[in-house]
Amino acid sequence: MTPDAAGPRATIVVGVTGGIAAYKAVSLVRTLVLAGHDVHVVPTEAALRFVGAPTWEAISRNPVTTQLYEGVDQVRHVALGQLAELIVIAPATANTLAKLAHGLVDDLLTNTVLASNAPVVVAPAMHTEMWRNAATQANVATLRERGVTFVGPASGRLTGNDTGAGRMAEPDEIAETALAALKRRGRGPRSRRARIDEASDAGRLDLDGLRLVVTAGGTREPFDPVRFLGNRSSGKQGMAIAAAAAARGASVTLIAANIGTDALPATIDVVDVSTTLELEKAVTDAAAGADAVVMAAAVADYRPAQVQQGKIKKEHTGERLTVEFVVNPDILAELSAAKREGQTVIGFAAETESDPATLLELGRKKIARKGCDFLVVNNVGWNHGFATDDNDIVVLNRAGDIVMEASGSKLSVADRILDATLSGREESTRHA
Ligand code: PMT
């Protein structure tokens, strides 16, 4: 990335705290330097156990110290804090988050942050239990409220044999978030109201005050205690909508059908369900107090007429097994029929038809049948739609007109869906 692409050369402080992900921050620093910025790395003592000062100096092309009492004549922490136009902390340990939340200053990094008005971007990295601990979540909430931007943590393999939320976000994602924050810099500490106003101007936090229910994942319909009829939905698209809406200020309830939601922000209220009937109850209950409902879950149209209490055995069934199915309720049609004045209901259509004109025709028939306000039509198949990171969608309104088309990452598509369907709602209809 060239300086032109990222804007003019800026002074960026990169704080590195003591976690194994420190090695990934080397690539972050390199990206910021290659983008033309003046990068000062401030590692903690613990961080230097993972990556030494010579590496940081070579990559950042600036001297590195952890010491508060070096360069006292230049009042180093104040100088760095005042110089910084952006502070990025990656990885940020639970200990550092706690210190930042409480204004504790016992090293050069925490002193620098406290002495600065620059925007702060934080990429947490820790074990799942530490991330989910109520103390950490309270610190995260405090920091978010003060305007700190969080990127990650991601979910995946951790340092040991365990897996879960707590992996540091990838360096490219952190750099992207950091450079976006840099573009918005220069505003000093901001109140929540001011942030909402600014964010509205920039098209962010424009869903503040909106109560949104999103369904994600795929329902499972059991035959017996060990088997079920299911589908390949990973929940990625629904979770992306929930995360994007929460990031834009909405209060979000996610009805999660058979998916892991650990990586989602703790502010999202998650209700786990498995079968279509469970999903129906959960979404109907939540929809009662919601301004909008997004049905991104892949819901089974049928369920076995009978659920056997014991495992179905081949020696009893022989060479063929016949299972009778009964139709499930059409939840989207029910929600659309029962919707309150001012409530918006958004459905999805997962179609295997790849011809664009026929796909649209199926979408138009589906929205007429279901009666929702908008329908997000996506083409699904063996290798696309389900369980991929990208999506390709068309949004139809009730009249069957195309109101938006988008393709790209499920997160970017999520934002476009929210733009097309919700961001234009009048304040008065939000609380109808
Ligand atoms: O989860 P991912 O792996 O990221 O994949 C995303 C997705 C492909 C699952 C998603 O983008 C999507 O298309 N979700 C809708 C899947 C689906 O069930 O489509 P459908 O065309 O069969 O149903 C139409 C709509 O009716 C959907 O909003 C569905 O939630 C709803 N429905 C369906 C059946 C039923 N009995 N009740 C319902 O409410």
Side-chain angles (χ1 to χ4, degrees):
M1 192 179 298
T2 63
D4 282 350
R9 179 180 167 87
T11 301
I12 302 177
V13 168
V14 176
V16 184
T17 71
I20 184 70
Y23 81 90
K24 290 211 249 171
V26 175
S27 152
L28 166 67
V29 172
R30 187 173 157 72
T31 304
L32 297 175
V33 170
L34 289 179
H37 298 296
D38 180 25
V39 181
H40 296 260
V41 179
V42 181
T44 60
E45 284 292 333
L48 291 183
R49 291 171 182 243
F50 295 94
V51 179
T55 303
W56 297 121
E57 291 189 337
I59 294 290
S60 70
R61 304 171 194 168
N62 271 316
V64 165
T65 179
T66 60
Q67 297 304 314
L68 197 52
Y69 299 105
E70 271 175 25
V72 174
D73 54 329
Q74 304 147 31
V75 202
R76 197 177 179 93
H77 62 285
V78 178
L80 257 183
Q82 287 177 347
L83 205 62
E85 288 161 89
L86 173 72
I87 298 177
V88 187
I89 305 178
T93 58
N95 183 43
T96 302
L97 295 181
K99 286 199 280 183
L100 294 177
H102 295 280
L104 296 177
V105 285
D106 61 354
D107 55 16
L108 183 59
L109 176 61
T110 44
N111 273 276
T112 301
V113 176
L114 208 66
S116 180
N117 279 332
V120 179
V121 172
V122 163
M126 63 197 75
H127 278 275
T128 308
E129 291 75 11
M130 295 172 79
W131 171 247
R132 300 187 82 174
N133 188 289
T136 304
Q137 288 303 317
N139 293 331
V140 170
T142 301
L143 293 170
R144 278 192 211 275
E145 181 61 23
R146 288 185 200 144
V148 170
T149 301
F150 279 78
V151 48
S155 210
R157 186 76 189 262
L158 302 172
T159 319
N161 288 328
D162 45 346
T163 304
R167 265 173 79 94
M168 190 176 83
E170 290 306 314
D172 282 352
E173 194 187 346
I174 302 170
E176 201 178 310
T177 307
L179 293 174
L182 194 56
K183 283 195 179 153
R184 307 189 298 263
R185 76 183 187 276
R187 296 169 182 185
R190 295 159 299 153
S191 67
R192 179 170 162 71
R193 186 66 253 165
R195 283 192 290 114
I196 289 166
D197 292 344
E198 287 168 11
S200 291
D201 293 346
R204 295 166 297 109
L205 288 184
D206 52 348
L207 304 184
D208 182 57
L210 192 92
R211 295 156 302 172
L212 186 71
V213 178
V214 183
T215 66
T219 58
R220 292 179 181 175
E221 309 298 336
F223 299 92
D224 68 17
V226 296
R227 303 185 183 93
F228 58 83
L229 169 76
N231 61 66
R232 295 196 298 113
S233 170
S234 62
K236 285 184 184 185
Q237 185 62 79
M239 285 195 282
I241 293 170
R248 287 165 65 164
S251 106
V252 180
T253 299
L254 178 74
I255 314 294
N258 306 298
I259 50 174
T261 54
D262 282 353
L264 287 175
T267 50
I268 296 178
D269 191 16
V270 177
V271 181
D272 288 309
V273 296
S274 187
T275 64
T276 298
L277 294 182
E278 287 169 11
L279 189 140
E280 180 192 32
K281 173 157 181 16
V283 72
T284 308
D285 287 352
D291 302 302
V293 184
V294 183
M295 284 289 293
V299 179
D301 284 321
Y302 297 94
R303 65 181 185 279
Q306 285 190 329
V307 181
Q308 304 300 326
Q309 289 314 304
K311 184 177 169 190
I312 299 170
K313 297 263 191 208
K314 209 161 97 180
E315 47 274 35
H316 298 147
T317 55
E319 289 303 306
R320 279 174 188 256
L321 170 65
T322 305
V323 178
E324 191 188 358
F325 289 92
V326 291
V327 73
N328 265 329
D330 188 325
I331 305 168
L332 179 60
E334 288 176 353
L335 290 169
S336 303
K339 109 187 164 70
R340 282 179 290 109
E341 175 78 21
Q343 192 178 49
T344 307
V345 177
I346 300 152
F348 269 72
E351 304 291 352
T352 49
E353 174 59 61
S354 57
D355 171 60
T358 318
L359 181 66
L360 273 180
E361 221 26 64
L362 290 174
R364 289 187 175 114
K365 285 185 180 147
K366 192 164 275 185
I367 193 166
R369 249 189 351 261
K370 303 263 184 179
C372 49
D373 298 296
F374 296 97
L375 190 76
V376 182
V377 183
N378 49 193
N379 179 226
V380 297
W382 295 108
N383 305 312
H384 53 280
F386 285 112
T388 53
D389 290 330
D390 296 329
N391 207 356
D392 204 341
I393 57 141
V394 176
V395 181
L396 299 178
N397 64 13
R398 297 180 82 130
D401 303 324
I402 297 176
V403 292
M404 204 264 304
E405 292 179 75
S407 58
S409 72
K410 282 185 173 166
L411 196 56
S412 68
V413 164
D415 265 318
R416 302 295 312 280
I417 293 169
L418 295 170
D419 287 343
T421 58
L422 296 179
S423 62
R425 285 166 54 99
E426 292 302 316
E427 192 72 27
S428 57
T429 65
R430 291 189 179 168
H431 308 284

Coordinates of all heavy atoms in Angstrom, one line a residue, residues 201-285:
D201 N -22.9 10.3 10.2 CA -22.4 11.0 9.0 C -21.6 10.0 8.1 O -21.7 10.1 6.9 CB -21.4 12.1 9.5 CG -22.2 13.2 10.2 OD1 -23.4 13.2 10.1 OD2 -21.5 14.0 10.9
A202 N -20.8 9.2 8.8 CA -20.0 8.3 8.0 C -20.7 7.0 7.6 O -20.1 6.1 7.1 CB -18.7 8.0 8.8
G203 N -22.0 6.9 8.0 CA -22.7 5.7 7.6 C -22.5 4.6 8.6 O -22.8 3.4 8.4
R204 N -21.9 4.9 9.8 CA -21.7 3.9 10.8 C -22.6 4.2 12.0 O -23.0 5.4 12.2 CB -20.3 3.8 11.3 CG -19.3 3.3 10.2 CD -17.9 3.5 10.6 NE -17.7 5.0 10.7 CZ -17.4 5.6 11.9 NH1 -17.4 4.9 13.0 NH2 -17.2 6.9 11.9
L205 N -22.8 3.3 13.0 CA -23.7 3.5 14.1 C -25.0 4.1 13.7 O -25.7 4.8 14.5 CB -23.0 4.4 15.2 CG -21.9 3.7 16.0 CD1 -21.3 4.6 17.1 CD2 -22.3 2.4 16.6
D206 N -25.4 4.0 12.5 CA -26.7 4.5 12.0 C -27.8 3.6 12.4 O -29.0 4.0 12.2 CB -26.6 4.7 10.5 CG -26.2 3.4 9.8 OD1 -25.7 2.5 10.4 OD2 -26.4 3.3 8.5
L207 N -27.5 2.5 13.1 CA -28.6 1.6 13.5 C -28.8 1.8 15.0 O -29.4 0.9 15.6 CB -28.4 0.2 13.1 CG -28.1 0.0 11.6 CD1 -28.0 -1.5 11.3 CD2 -29.3 0.5 10.8
D208 N -28.2 2.8 15.6 CA -28.3 3.0 17.1 C -29.8 3.1 17.5 O -30.6 3.8 16.8 CB -27.6 4.3 17.5 CG -27.7 4.5 19.0 OD1 -27.2 3.6 19.7 OD2 -28.2 5.5 19.4
G209 N -30.2 2.3 18.5 CA -31.6 2.3 18.9 C -32.4 1.3 18.3 O -33.6 1.0 18.7
L210 N -31.9 0.6 17.2 CA -32.7 -0.4 16.5 C -32.6 -1.7 17.2 O -31.5 -2.1 17.6 CB -32.2 -0.5 15.1 CG -33.1 -1.2 14.1 CD1 -34.1 -0.3 13.5 CD2 -32.2 -1.9 13.1
R211 N -33.7 -2.4 17.4 CA -33.7 -3.7 18.0 C -33.9 -4.8 16.9 O -34.9 -4.8 16.2 CB -34.8 -3.9 19.1 CG -34.6 -2.9 20.3 CD -35.8 -2.6 21.0 NE -36.8 -2.0 20.1 CZ -38.1 -1.8 20.4 NH1 -38.6 -2.1 21.5 NH2 -38.9 -1.3 19.5
L212 N -32.8 -5.5 16.7 CA -32.8 -6.4 15.5 C -32.7 -7.9 16.0 O -31.9 -8.2 16.9 CB -31.5 -6.1 14.7 CG -31.4 -6.8 13.4 CD1 -32.4 -6.3 12.4 CD2 -30.0 -6.5 12.8
V213 N -33.5 -8.7 15.3 CA -33.4 -10.2 15.6 C -32.8 -10.8 14.3 O -33.4 -10.5 13.2 CB -34.7 -10.8 15.9 CG1 -34.6 -12.3 16.1 CG2 -35.3 -10.2 17.2
V214 N -31.8 -11.6 14.4 CA -31.2 -12.3 13.2 C -31.2 -13.8 13.5 O -30.9 -14.2 14.6 CB -29.8 -11.8 13.0 CG1 -29.2 -12.5 11.7 CG2 -29.7 -10.3 12.9
T215 N -31.6 -14.6 12.5 CA -31.4 -16.0 12.7 C -30.3 -16.5 11.8 O -30.0 -15.9 10.7 CB -32.7 -16.8 12.3 OG1 -32.9 -16.7 10.9 CG2 -33.9 -16.4 13.0
A216 N -29.5 -17.5 12.3 CA -28.4 -17.9 11.5 C -28.2 -19.4 11.7 O -28.5 -20.0 12.8 CB -27.1 -17.2 11.9
G217 N -27.5 -20.1 10.8 CA -27.2 -21.5 10.9 C -28.3 -22.3 10.2 O -29.2 -21.8 9.5
G218 N -28.2 -23.6 10.5 CA -29.2 -24.5 9.9 C -29.9 -25.4 10.9 O -29.3 -25.8 11.9
T219 N -31.2 -25.6 10.8 CA -31.9 -26.4 11.7 C -31.7 -27.9 11.5 O -31.3 -28.3 10.4 CB -33.5 -26.1 11.7 OG1 -33.9 -26.4 10.4 CG2 -33.8 -24.7 12.0
R220 N -31.8 -28.6 12.6 CA -31.6 -30.1 12.5 C -32.9 -30.8 13.0 O -33.4 -30.4 14.1 CB -30.5 -30.5 13.4 CG -29.1 -30.0 12.9 CD -28.1 -30.4 13.9 NE -26.8 -30.0 13.4 CZ -25.6 -30.1 14.1 NH1 -25.6 -30.7 15.2 NH2 -24.5 -29.6 13.6
E221 N -33.3 -31.8 12.2 CA -34.6 -32.5 12.6 C -34.2 -33.9 12.9 O -33.9 -34.7 12.0 CB -35.5 -32.4 11.4 CG -35.8 -31.0 10.8 CD -36.4 -30.0 11.8 OE1 -37.1 -30.5 12.7 OE2 -36.2 -28.8 11.7
P222 N -34.3 -34.3 14.1 CA -33.9 -35.7 14.5 C -34.8 -36.8 14.0 O -36.0 -36.6 14.0 CB -33.8 -35.6 16.0 CG -34.7 -34.5 16.4 CD -34.8 -33.5 15.3
F223 N -34.2 -37.9 13.6 CA -34.9 -39.2 13.4 C -34.9 -40.0 14.6 O -35.9 -40.7 14.9 CB -34.2 -40.1 12.3 CG -34.0 -39.5 11.0 CD1 -32.9 -38.8 10.7 CD2 -35.0 -39.7 10.1 CE1 -32.7 -38.3 9.4 CE2 -34.8 -39.2 8.8 CZ -33.7 -38.5 8.5
D224 N -33.8 -40.0 15.3 CA -33.6 -40.8 16.5 C -32.5 -40.1 17.3 O -32.1 -39.0 16.9 CB -33.2 -42.3 16.1 CG -31.8 -42.4 15.4 OD1 -31.0 -41.4 15.5 OD2 -31.6 -43.4 14.8
P225 N -32.1 -40.6 18.5 CA -31.2 -39.9 19.3 C -29.8 -39.6 18.7 O -29.1 -38.7 19.2 CB -31.0 -40.8 20.5 CG -32.1 -41.7 20.5 CD -32.5 -41.9 19.1
V226 N -29.5 -40.2 17.6 CA -28.1 -40.0 17.0 C -28.1 -39.4 15.6 O -27.1 -39.0 15.1 CB -27.3 -41.3 17.0 CG1 -27.0 -41.7 18.4 CG2 -28.0 -42.4 16.2
R227 N -29.3 -39.3 14.9 CA -29.3 -38.9 13.5 C -30.3 -37.7 13.3 O -31.3 -37.6 14.0 CB -29.6 -40.0 12.6 CG -28.7 -41.2 12.7 CD -29.1 -42.2 11.6 NE -28.4 -43.4 11.7 CZ -28.8 -44.5 12.4 NH1 -29.9 -44.5 13.1 NH2 -28.0 -45.6 12.5
F228 N -29.9 -36.9 12.3 CA -30.9 -35.8 12.0 C -30.8 -35.5 10.5 O -29.9 -35.8 9.8 CB -30.5 -34.5 12.8 CG -29.1 -34.1 12.6 CD1 -28.8 -33.2 11.5 CD2 -28.1 -34.4 13.5 CE1 -27.5 -32.8 11.3 CE2 -26.8 -34.0 13.3 CZ -26.5 -33.1 12.2
L229 N -31.9 -34.8 10.1 CA -31.9 -34.2 8.7 C -31.4 -32.7 8.9 O -32.0 -32.0 9.7 CB -33.3 -34.2 8.2 CG -33.5 -33.4 6.9 CD1 -33.0 -34.2 5.7 CD2 -35.0 -33.1 6.7
G230 N -30.3 -32.4 8.2 CA -29.8 -31.0 8.4 C -29.4 -30.4 7.1 O -29.8 -30.9 6.0
N231 N -28.7 -29.3 7.1 CA -28.2 -28.7 5.9 C -26.8 -28.1 6.1 O -26.3 -28.1 7.2 CB -29.2 -27.6 5.4 CG -29.4 -26.5 6.4 OD1 -28.5 -25.7 6.7 ND2 -30.6 -26.5 7.0
R232 N -26.2 -27.5 5.1 CA -24.8 -27.1 5.2 C -24.6 -25.7 5.6 O -23.5 -25.2 5.5 CB -24.1 -27.4 3.8 CG -24.1 -28.9 3.5 CD -23.1 -29.3 2.4 NE -23.5 -28.7 1.2 CZ -22.7 -27.7 0.6 NH1 -21.6 -27.3 1.1 NH2 -23.1 -27.2 -0.6
S233 N -25.6 -25.0 6.1 CA -25.4 -23.6 6.5 C -24.4 -23.6 7.7 O -24.5 -24.3 8.7 CB -26.7 -23.0 7.0 OG -26.5 -21.8 7.6
S234 N -23.4 -22.7 7.5 CA -22.4 -22.5 8.6 C -22.8 -21.4 9.5 O -22.1 -21.2 10.5 CB -21.1 -22.1 7.9 OG -21.2 -20.9 7.2
G235 N -23.8 -20.6 9.1 CA -24.1 -19.4 10.0 C -23.3 -18.2 9.7 O -23.5 -17.1 10.3
K236 N -22.3 -18.3 8.7 CA -21.4 -17.2 8.5 C -22.2 -15.9 8.1 O -21.9 -14.8 8.5 CB -20.4 -17.5 7.4 CG -19.3 -18.4 7.9 CD -18.3 -18.7 6.9 CE -17.2 -19.7 7.3 NZ -16.1 -19.8 6.4
Q237 N -23.2 -16.1 7.1 CA -23.9 -14.9 6.6 C -24.7 -14.3 7.7 O -24.7 -13.1 7.9 CB -24.7 -15.3 5.4 CG -25.4 -14.1 4.7 CD -24.4 -13.1 4.2 OE1 -23.8 -13.3 3.1 NE2 -24.1 -12.0 4.9
G238 N -25.4 -15.1 8.4 CA -26.3 -14.6 9.5 C -25.5 -13.9 10.6 O -25.8 -12.8 11.1
M239 N -24.4 -14.6 11.0 CA -23.5 -14.0 12.0 C -22.9 -12.7 11.5 O -22.7 -11.7 12.3 CB -22.4 -15.0 12.5 CG -23.0 -16.1 13.3 SD -21.7 -17.0 14.2 CE -21.1 -18.0 12.9
A240 N -22.5 -12.6 10.3 CA -22.0 -11.4 9.7 C -23.0 -10.2 9.8 O -22.6 -9.1 10.1 CB -21.5 -11.6 8.3
I241 N -24.3 -10.6 9.5 CA -25.3 -9.5 9.7 C -25.5 -9.1 11.1 O -25.5 -7.9 11.4 CB -26.7 -10.1 9.1 CG1 -26.5 -10.3 7.6 CG2 -27.8 -9.1 9.4 CD1 -27.7 -11.0 7.0
A242 N -25.4 -10.1 12.0 CA -25.6 -9.7 13.4 C -24.4 -8.8 13.9 O -24.6 -7.8 14.5 CB -25.6 -11.0 14.3
A243 N -23.2 -9.2 13.5 CA -22.0 -8.5 13.9 C -22.0 -7.1 13.3 O -21.7 -6.1 13.9 CB -20.7 -9.2 13.5
A244 N -22.3 -7.0 12.0 CA -22.3 -5.7 11.3 C -23.4 -4.8 12.0 O -23.1 -3.6 12.2 CB -22.6 -5.9 9.8
A245 N -24.5 -5.3 12.3 CA -25.6 -4.5 12.9 C -25.2 -4.0 14.3 O -25.4 -2.8 14.6 CB -26.9 -5.3 12.9
A246 N -24.6 -4.9 15.0 CA -24.1 -4.5 16.4 C -23.1 -3.4 16.3 O -23.1 -2.5 17.0 CB -23.6 -5.7 17.1
A247 N -22.1 -3.6 15.3 CA -21.1 -2.6 15.1 C -21.7 -1.2 14.7 O -21.1 -0.2 15.0 CB -20.1 -3.0 14.1
R248 N -22.9 -1.2 14.1 CA -23.5 0.0 13.7 C -24.5 0.5 14.7 O -25.3 1.4 14.5 CB -24.2 -0.2 12.3 CG -23.1 -0.3 11.2 CD -23.7 -0.8 9.9 NE -24.6 0.0 9.3 CZ -25.0 -0.1 8.0 NH1 -24.4 -1.1 7.3 NH2 -25.9 0.7 7.5
G249 N -24.5 -0.1 15.9 CA -25.2 0.5 17.1 C -26.5 -0.2 17.4 O -27.2 0.1 18.4
A250 N -26.9 -1.2 16.6 CA -28.2 -1.9 16.9 C -28.0 -2.8 18.1 O -26.9 -3.3 18.4 CB -28.6 -2.8 15.7
S251 N -29.1 -3.0 18.8 CA -29.1 -4.1 19.8 C -29.6 -5.3 19.2 O -30.7 -5.4 18.6 CB -29.8 -3.6 21.1 OG -31.0 -4.2 21.2
V252 N -28.8 -6.4 19.3 CA -29.0 -7.6 18.4 C -29.2 -8.8 19.2 O -28.5 -9.1 20.2 CB -27.8 -7.8 17.5 CG1 -28.0 -9.0 16.6 CG2 -27.5 -6.6 16.6
T253 N -30.3 -9.6 18.8 CA -30.5 -10.9 19.4 C -30.2 -11.9 18.2 O -30.8 -11.7 17.1 CB -31.9 -11.1 19.9 OG1 -32.1 -10.2 20.9 CG2 -32.1 -12.5 20.4
L254 N -29.4 -12.8 18.4 CA -29.1 -13.8 17.4 C -29.7 -15.1 17.8 O -29.4 -15.7 18.8 CB -27.6 -14.0 17.2 CG -27.2 -15.0 16.1 CD1 -27.4 -14.5 14.7 CD2 -25.7 -15.4 16.3
I255 N -30.5 -15.7 16.9 CA -31.1 -17.0 17.2 C -30.2 -18.0 16.4 O -30.1 -17.9 15.1 CB -32.5 -17.2 16.7 CG1 -33.4 -16.0 17.1 CG2 -33.1 -18.5 17.1 CD1 -33.6 -15.8 18.6
A256 N -29.4 -18.7 17.1 CA -28.3 -19.5 16.5 C -28.6 -21.0 16.4 O -28.8 -21.6 17.4 CB -27.0 -19.3 17.3
A257 N -28.8 -21.5 15.2 CA -29.1 -22.9 15.0 C -27.9 -23.7 14.7 O -27.3 -23.7 13.6 CB -30.1 -23.0 13.9
N258 N -27.4 -24.4 15.7 CA -26.3 -25.4 15.5 C -25.0 -24.8 15.0 O -24.4 -25.3 14.1 CB -26.8 -26.5 14.6 CG -28.1 -27.1 15.1 OD1 -28.1 -27.6 16.2 ND2 -29.2 -27.0 14.4
I259 N -24.7 -23.6 15.5 CA -23.4 -23.0 15.1 C -22.6 -22.5 16.3 O -23.2 -22.2 17.4 CB -23.7 -21.8 14.2 CG1 -24.7 -20.8 14.7 CG2 -24.1 -22.3 12.8 CD1 -24.9 -19.6 13.9
G260 N -21.3 -22.3 16.2 CA -20.5 -21.7 17.2 C -20.5 -20.2 17.1 O -20.3 -19.6 16.1
T261 N -20.8 -19.5 18.3 CA -20.9 -18.1 18.2 C -19.9 -17.4 19.1 O -20.0 -16.2 19.4 CB -22.3 -17.7 18.7 OG1 -22.6 -18.3 19.9 CG2 -23.4 -18.1 17.7
D262 N -18.9 -18.2 19.6 CA -17.9 -17.6 20.5 C -17.2 -16.3 20.0 O -16.8 -15.5 20.8 CB -16.8 -18.6 20.8 CG -17.3 -19.7 21.8 OD1 -18.4 -19.5 22.3 OD2 -16.6 -20.7 22.0
A263 N -17.0 -16.3 18.7 CA -16.2 -15.1 18.2 C -17.0 -13.9 18.1 O -16.5 -12.8 17.8 CB -15.7 -15.5 16.8
L264 N -18.3 -13.9 18.3 CA -19.2 -12.7 18.2 C -18.9 -11.8 19.4 O -18.6 -12.3 20.5 CB -20.6 -13.1 18.1 CG -21.1 -13.8 16.8 CD1 -22.5 -14.2 16.9 CD2 -20.9 -12.8 15.6
P265 N -19.1 -10.5 19.2 CA -19.0 -9.6 20.3 C -20.0 -10.0 21.4 O -21.1 -10.4 21.2 CB -19.4 -8.2 19.7 CG -19.4 -8.4 18.3 CD -19.5 -9.8 17.9
A266 N -19.6 -9.8 22.7 CA -20.4 -10.2 23.8 C -21.7 -9.4 23.9 O -22.6 -9.8 24.6 CB -19.6 -10.0 25.1
T267 N -21.7 -8.3 23.2 CA -23.0 -7.4 23.3 C -24.1 -8.1 22.6 O -25.3 -7.7 22.7 CB -22.7 -6.1 22.6 OG1 -22.1 -6.3 21.4 CG2 -21.8 -5.2 23.5
I268 N -23.8 -9.1 21.7 CA -24.9 -9.7 21.0 C -25.5 -10.8 21.9 O -24.8 -11.6 22.4 CB -24.4 -10.4 19.7 CG1 -23.9 -9.2 18.7 CG2 -25.5 -11.2 19.0 CD1 -23.4 -9.7 17.4
D269 N -26.8 -10.8 22.0 CA -27.5 -11.7 22.9 C -27.8 -13.0 22.0 O -28.5 -12.9 21.0 CB -28.9 -11.0 23.2 CG -29.6 -11.7 24.3 OD1 -29.0 -12.6 25.0 OD2 -30.8 -11.5 24.5
V270 N -27.2 -14.1 22.4 CA -27.4 -15.3 21.6 C -28.3 -16.3 22.2 O -28.3 -16.6 23.4 CB -26.0 -16.0 21.4 CG1 -26.1 -17.3 20.6 CG2 -25.0 -15.1 20.7
V271 N -29.3 -16.8 21.4 CA -30.2 -17.9 21.9 C -29.9 -19.1 21.0 O -30.1 -19.0 19.8 CB -31.7 -17.4 21.7 CG1 -32.6 -18.5 22.2 CG2 -32.0 -16.1 22.4
D272 N -29.5 -20.2 21.6 CA -29.1 -21.4 20.9 C -30.4 -22.2 20.7 O -31.2 -22.4 21.6 CB -28.1 -22.2 21.6 CG -26.7 -21.5 21.5 OD1 -26.3 -21.2 20.4 OD2 -26.1 -21.3 22.6
V273 N -30.6 -22.7 19.4 CA -31.7 -23.6 19.1 C -31.2 -24.7 18.3 O -30.1 -24.6 17.7 CB -32.9 -22.9 18.4 CG1 -33.5 -21.8 19.3 CG2 -32.4 -22.3 17.1
S274 N -32.0 -25.7 18.1 CA -31.6 -26.8 17.2 C -32.6 -27.1 16.1 O -32.4 -27.0 14.9 CB -31.3 -28.1 18.0 OG -30.7 -29.0 17.1
T275 N -33.9 -27.4 16.5 CA -34.9 -27.8 15.5 C -35.6 -26.5 15.0 O -35.6 -25.4 15.6 CB -35.9 -28.7 16.1 OG1 -36.6 -28.0 17.1 CG2 -35.3 -30.0 16.7
T276 N -36.4 -26.8 13.9 CA -37.2 -25.7 13.4 C -38.3 -25.2 14.4 O -38.5 -24.0 14.5 CB -37.9 -26.2 12.1 OG1 -36.9 -26.5 11.1 CG2 -38.8 -25.1 11.5
L277 N -38.9 -26.1 15.1 CA -39.9 -25.7 16.1 C -39.3 -24.9 17.2 O -39.9 -23.9 17.7 CB -40.6 -27.0 16.7 CG -41.4 -27.8 15.6 CD1 -42.2 -28.9 16.3 CD2 -42.5 -26.9 14.9
E278 N -38.0 -25.2 17.6 CA -37.3 -24.4 18.6 C -37.0 -23.0 18.0 O -37.2 -22.0 18.7 CB -36.0 -25.1 19.1 CG -36.3 -26.3 19.9 CD -35.0 -27.1 20.2 OE1 -33.9 -26.7 19.8 OE2 -35.1 -28.2 20.7
L279 N -36.6 -23.0 16.8 CA -36.3 -21.7 16.2 C -37.5 -20.9 16.0 O -37.5 -19.7 16.3 CB -35.6 -21.9 14.8 CG -35.0 -20.7 14.1 CD1 -33.7 -21.0 13.4 CD2 -36.0 -20.0 13.1
E280 N -38.6 -21.5 15.7 CA -39.9 -20.8 15.6 C -40.3 -20.1 16.9 O -40.6 -18.9 16.9 CB -41.0 -21.8 15.2 CG -42.4 -21.1 15.0 CD -43.5 -22.1 14.9 OE1 -43.4 -23.2 15.5 OE2 -44.5 -21.8 14.2
K281 N -40.1 -20.9 18.0 CA -40.5 -20.3 19.3 C -39.6 -19.1 19.6 O -40.0 -18.0 20.0 CB -40.5 -21.3 20.4 CG -40.7 -20.8 21.7 CD -41.3 -21.7 22.7 CE -41.5 -21.1 24.1 NZ -41.5 -19.6 24.2
A282 N -38.3 -19.4 19.5 CA -37.3 -18.4 19.9 C -37.4 -17.1 19.1 O -37.4 -16.0 19.6 CB -35.9 -18.9 19.7
V283 N -37.6 -17.2 17.7 CA -37.7 -16.0 16.9 C -39.0 -15.3 17.1 O -39.1 -14.1 17.1 CB -37.3 -16.3 15.4 CG1 -38.4 -17.0 14.7 CG2 -37.0 -15.0 14.7
T284 N -40.1 -16.1 17.3 CA -41.4 -15.4 17.5 C -41.4 -14.6 18.8 O -41.8 -13.5 18.9 CB -42.5 -16.5 17.6 OG1 -42.4 -17.3 16.4 CG2 -43.9 -15.8 17.6
D285 N -40.8 -15.2 19.9 CA -40.7 -14.5 21.2 C -39.9 -13.2 21.0 O -40.2 -12.1 21.5 CB -40.0 -15.4 22.3 CG -40.9 -16.5 22.7 OD1 -42.1 -16.5 22.3 OD2 -40.4 -17.4 23.5

